[in-house]
Amino acid sequence: MTKASSVALPRIRVNGADEPLAAATIAEFLTQRGIDPTGRGVAVALNGAVVPRARWQDQPLHDGDSVEIVHARQGG
Amino acid sequence: MNVVEQGARAADPLVIAGRSFSSRLFLGTAGYPNQKVMLDAIAASGTELVTASIRRLDLSSPEEGLVDLIAGRADLLPNTAGCQTARDAVLTAELAREALETNWVKLEIIGDRELLYPDVEELLSATDELVRKGFVVMVYCNDDPVTCRKLADLGAAAVMPLGSPIGSGLGIANPHLIELIAARSPVPVVLDAGIGTASDAALAMELGCAAVLLNTAVSKANDPVAMARAMRHAVEAGRLAHRAGRIPRRRYAEPSSPQFGLVGS
């Protein structure tokens, strides 16, 4: 168990699910998942704070980050 | 009354936060048999504002979002449905503002999961914060004149007291309070939740509400599109009746025909 944390690959939580970190920025992550970062209707929060669309291209992702990706669904 | 006055009266727009609505019916988008029925119901209702929820995107199979579906048919009013704290509701509203490019929000904070009853303490806190952050806040709240007044004082653009629990179809449980709230509120009062059928919507308007927000009564009707049309007419009829002024209630009959010149005797 020694040094386990130093050799562990970086991971993030996306919409509550743990996964390996494989994207440098929010925009890159969205593109990897087939979501057009220039499309409408999607919003992103990083560690509990909204990241404006204009910053997706530059916002880096780090080990341990928690990302929420949401959109509008039917509702009352 | 000249032609211009007649036109203005016929138009009778609802104004919330400077935005004018010709329809006083707001419609939810949840629970329809399919998307076509939902879109047809929206059209039949004549509404200009429909509600939406903000939920996690399913990254394994992204589906068509509501934004593209509704585009051009009505404006979207995002809600904070499901939130139980002011903190979650504020974050949801901020996400909605980013996703939908609107600063309007239907604030909903639930304090009892079985009754879906509002948590007043959290509502007051979230309304204060959202108003400070520049949101137009329409608050789903209790049918309580004091709560409604406090929300308006904090800057809510509209208060939306419940008629009865969400989805219950029980109608307006306390019409006297709704009438009092509507008569005294400095901001528009929108009857939200509990509507079961057209007469409930008409009653809300007769009591002086500025508008009605409903969902299940239409989406779960046997024929949602026909019920949407019924709600449109009910809201219009109720509004007309409210403006026309109902007659006082009396305990005994009052003949409508002249009492003189009776035949015989």
Side-chain angles (χ1 to χ4, degrees):
Chain A
M1 289 300 288
T2 53
K3 294 188 178 177
S5 60
S6 62
V7 298
L9 292 171
R11 301 186 71 82
I12 55 172
R13 286 186 77 78
V14 179
N15 285 353
D18 183 74
E19 63 174 75
L21 173 57
T25 65
I26 287 175
E28 186 182 344
F29 178 87
L30 293 174
T31 305
Q32 285 174 0
R33 295 307 179 90
I35 302 161
D36 179 4
T38 63
R40 293 183 64 223
V42 174
V44 176
L46 178 61
N47 301 324
V50 176
V51 181
R53 180 176 301 266
R55 289 197 358 233
W56 290 355
Q57 202 67 46
D58 303 318
Q59 179 64 54
L61 292 174
H62 301 291
D63 185 30
D65 277 349
S66 177
V67 184
E68 294 279 341
I69 301 168
V70 302
H71 69 153
R73 296 279 300 274
Q74 298 179 357
Chain B
M1 191 161 48
N2 64 32
V3 174
V4 174
E5 283 168 344
Q6 279 179 339
R9 175 162 291 197
D12 182 27
L14 164 65
V15 179
I16 298 176
R19 158 85 196 269
S20 184
F21 297 90
S22 58
S23 166
R24 291 173 176 270
L25 176 58
F26 305 143
L27 192 62
T29 56
Y32 291 82
N34 57 57
Q35 287 184 346
K36 182 183 187 306
V37 171
M38 177 187 75
L39 295 175
D40 289 349
I42 289 171
S45 76
T47 188
E48 296 157 86
L49 191 67
V50 300
T51 53
S53 61
I54 300 297
R55 291 291 181 268
R56 285 172 168 170
L57 190 62
D58 182 357
L59 294 165
S60 57
S61 61
E63 77 263 51
E64 185 185 21
L66 197 62
V67 173
D68 296 327
L69 204 57
I70 301 294
R73 301 170 191 267
D75 286 342
L76 282 172
L77 174 65
N79 68 29
T80 63
C83 289
Q84 296 182 70
T85 64
R87 185 165 169 267
D88 286 350
V90 169
L91 176 59
T92 302
E94 289 177 328
L95 285 165
R97 178 163 64 180
E98 186 67 21
L100 301 180
E101 294 162 10
T102 175
N103 62 343
W104 286 52
V105 65
K106 169 183 166 176
L107 179 63
E108 180 177 329
I109 305 178
I110 297 306
D112 184 309
R113 296 196 70 79
E114 273 186 308
L115 301 177
L116 297 180
Y117 220 69
D119 185 321
V120 172
E121 193 178 5
E122 297 293 316
L123 280 183
L124 293 170
S125 163
T127 298
D128 188 32
E129 186 172 349
L130 288 169
V131 168
R132 288 175 196 275
K133 289 183 168 177
F135 283 89
V136 172
V137 189
M138 300 172 67
V139 191
Y140 164 68
C141 60
N142 303 36
D143 56 349
D144 166 11
V146 177
T147 299
C148 288
R149 170 55 67 111
K150 285 184 175 180
L151 290 167
D153 288 347
L154 287 169
V159 292
M160 306 204 291
L162 54 83
S164 52
I166 293 173
S168 70
L170 289 173
I172 300 175
N174 199 331
H176 309 294
L177 268 180
I178 294 295
E179 188 169 31
L180 277 173
I181 291 167
R184 292 153 50 104
S185 176
V187 296
V189 175
V190 181
L191 197 288
D192 184 0
I195 299 289
T197 187
S199 53
D200 298 331
L203 176 60
M205 300 305 293
E206 288 170 7
L207 294 172
C209 291
V212 171
L213 197 170
L214 57 89
N215 185 342
T216 311
V218 165
S219 66
K220 298 297 189 192
N222 284 337
D223 184 341
V225 180
M227 186 60 89
R229 192 175 303 121
M231 291 299 183
R232 173 187 196 153
H233 290 302
V235 167
E236 288 177 2
R239 176 66 182 174
L240 284 170
H242 174 71
R243 286 170 63 93
R246 64 155 296 140
I247 60 166
R249 290 179 173 84
R250 48 196 307 149
R251 293 171 64 84
Y252 298 98
E254 172 80 358
S256 356
S257 303
Q259 291 307 290
F260 50 87
L262 290 175
V263 174
S265 62

